Amino acid sequence: MTNPLVSYPCDPDTPTSHLPFSPSVVVGDLIFVSGQASVDDKGQIISDSFEGEFRRSVENLRKVLVSAGSDLAHVVQTRNYVRDAEDVALYNQLYREYFPDPKPARTTITNCLPPSLRYEIEAVAVRKL
């Protein structure tokens, strides 16, 4: 049974995964974005420096948000996963580039990802009016 208030936007530019989840779920004006990592458009992990993985992950988040009718400026909350605690200073520096004031609510967890990933981000955003 489908719910007319819930949608699952996905366009050709939206990163996909072979894992069982939707890139985003829209409920009313809220957009819930699944974790975005340093992957290509087929969901294959692209290993890189922390900065490279961070930028690719946030750009993937941006693509998912655009397909759902939003953008990074409309993010209200993020959950961030940083594999190595020594990358937190760089993470904070890069985060400020993508999320200027006023910043969204944020949670950061370290020492939590598998060796194949350095960073992952999930978000809640609102649709652009």
Side-chain angles (χ1 to χ4, degrees), residues 77-96:
Q77 181 184 35
T78 65
R79 283 178 290 285
N80 301 266
Y81 306 91
V82 177
R83 185 183 74 192
D84 303 317
E86 61 264 14
D87 288 324
V88 169
L90 178 57
Y91 153 69
N92 283 320
Q93 176 187 333
L94 295 167
Y95 191 91
R96 285 182 183 97

Side-chain angles (χ1 to χ4, degrees), residues 13 24 73-74 91 121 129:
D13 207 28
S24 68
H74 288 79
Y91 153 69
I121 183 171
L129 299 177

Side-chain angles (χ1 to χ4, degrees), residues 3-9 24-33 68 124-127:
N3 183 330
L5 299 176
V6 179
S7 63
Y8 305 86
S24 68
V25 177
V26 177
V27 181
D29 288 331
L30 291 177
I31 303 164
F32 300 87
V33 180
V124 177
V126 293
R127 285 187 167 200

Side-chain angles (χ1 to χ4, degrees), residues 27-42:
V27 181
D29 288 331
L30 291 177
I31 303 164
F32 300 87
V33 180
S34 295
Q36 298 299 307
S38 179
V39 298
D40 63 16
D41 59 353
K42 302 282 191 256

Side-chain angles (χ1 to χ4, degrees), residues 14-21 23 39-44:
T14 303
T16 59
S17 174
H18 63 281
L19 298 173
F21 66 86
V39 298
D40 63 16
D41 59 353
K42 302 282 191 256
Q44 296 301 310

